[in-house]
Amino acid sequence: MPRGEFEDPRLVEVHDAENLWGWEDDFFMAALAERSAPRVLDFGCGTGRLAIAMAAAGHEVTGVDPARAALDAARRKPGAERVCWLPGSVEVLPARAYDTVLMTGHVAQRFDDREWPAVLRALRRSLDRGGRLIFDSRDPAGRHWARWISPDPRRTVTLPGGETVTAWTEATSPAAGVVSYAGHYQFLDGTELTSDTTLRFRSEPELRRSVEAAGFDVDRVYGGWAREPVGLSEDGELIVLAVVRPEPRTA
Ligand SMILES: C[S@@+](CC[C@H](N)C(=O)[O-])C[C@H]1O[C@@H](n2cnc3c(N)ncnc32)[C@H](O)[C@@H]1O
């Protein structure tokens, strides 16, 4: 039976083997350091790579994710005891509790158009005055799905214990900015697991409009991890930095 990639311990192990520290993590650490942000929320923290690094850098970090297997893996990592791990999603967020909310690894694309405005409003409520929202979303102009659709050669992933897993991806063509893909994973004991993911690709104007409608001012949007303008990076990203809009003063 197909399962979510972050809900199966074996797939979580494969995910971690394929997703080591990268440029994007350096970008988020540097963006976080631009302003004072003692209290940080990592929304959709997955297996906690960035949350643990931010806690080690001295921030008070909360990691929220609905996937139990991902959080279990996060809790087992060195330094995990410095992070407050909360299973769940927007429903577990306290009000005005954070100075910065990060949403990394394209978590934003996992919300459909019905969910997205409510998620943004909930993140806005969880931020204190002047708080920042920082997230990434793949630029539809970068056509990332073309790499997933093309007959993908099977790749071999080596797990920390030495076991190898054969993995491949099948994606559908985008329709109305939505791409679905299946990840297939074949283990040496004969087990084959499949994960299904659906991603929404929003354009820069769509992202700006939705973020502003939720009560933020968009500060900057970058197109790549070296802070290139939108459309000028092979990364094909839309990296949004937004600030909670000040509430109008009452007389
Ligand atoms: C590609 S991973 C990114 C994990 C991590 N942020 C990173 O950069 O490695 C996407 C994560 O989004 C989480 N996610 C999916 N639906 C969510 C929701 N409704 N609320 C919060 N997180 C969610 C998944 O469980 C998964 O851990």
Side-chain angles (χ1 to χ4, degrees):
M1 187 174 45
R3 307 178 67 168
E5 184 186 354
F6 297 94
E7 283 140 22
D8 185 296
R10 296 186 84 177
L11 296 187
V12 164
E13 201 183 358
V14 175
H15 170 269
D16 266 2
E18 289 200 285
N19 291 277
L20 305 175
W21 189 267
W23 298 114
E24 60 276 29
D25 299 301
D26 288 331
F27 172 92
F28 289 119
M29 292 297 287
L32 184 60
E34 283 175 356
R35 293 197 199 169
S36 166
R39 300 162 301 165
V40 179
L41 169 65
D42 186 350
F43 186 69
C45 61
T47 58
R49 186 183 66 248
L50 190 63
I52 291 169
M54 295 189 292
H59 301 276
E60 192 184 305
V61 180
T62 302
V64 167
D65 202 291
R68 290 266 174 187
L71 281 191
D72 288 347
R75 285 193 180 101
R76 285 194 296 269
K77 292 184 177 174
E81 66 286 352
R82 293 204 187 99
V83 177
C84 170
W85 305 103
L86 286 181
S89 185
V90 287
E91 74 286 351
V92 302
L93 299 182
R96 294 199 167 203
Y98 307 108
D99 304 298
T100 297
V101 172
L102 286 157
M103 201 169 24
T104 72
H106 310 110
V107 173
Q109 293 187 248
R110 294 181 178 250
F111 301 107
D112 63 26
D113 286 346
R114 193 181 45 81
E115 299 164 321
W116 180 234
V119 168
L120 285 171
R121 284 197 302 273
L123 297 180
R124 158 78 184 75
R125 279 195 298 275
S126 77
L127 278 162
D128 212 339
R129 204 173 306 156
R132 290 199 300 164
L133 169 67
I134 304 173
F135 69 93
D136 54 358
S137 189
R138 297 180 191 86
D139 187 347
R143 298 178 51 78
H144 288 262
W145 57 83
R147 290 171 226 161
W148 306 334
I149 293 167
S150 60
D152 194 359
R154 296 186 175 210
R155 58 193 197 276
T156 303
V157 184
T158 305
L159 302 181
E163 187 191 352
T164 56
V165 181
T166 305
W168 68 100
T169 306
E170 287 174 310
T172 60
S173 298
V178 176
V179 175
S180 296
Y181 64 87
H184 299 278
Y185 305 87
Q186 225 166 41
F187 292 80
L188 289 181
D189 65 5
T191 310
E192 186 177 321
L193 299 176
T194 303
S195 72
D196 286 326
T197 306
T198 298
L199 299 178
R200 172 76 165 93
F201 283 73
R202 297 183 175 88
S203 65
E204 183 185 358
E206 283 177 311
L207 287 176
R208 282 181 176 273
R209 270 198 302 274
S210 56
V211 168
E212 282 170 7
F216 294 92
D217 290 325
V218 174
D219 177 21
R220 281 163 281 163
V221 182
Y222 295 117
W225 302 115
R227 299 185 176 230
E228 301 95 327
V230 171
L232 295 186
S233 167
E234 284 185 5
D235 294 335
E237 294 286 341
L238 295 170
I239 309 162
V240 178
L241 289 83
V243 186
V244 169
R245 187 177 305 129
E247 282 163 25
R249 289 183 185 209
T250 47

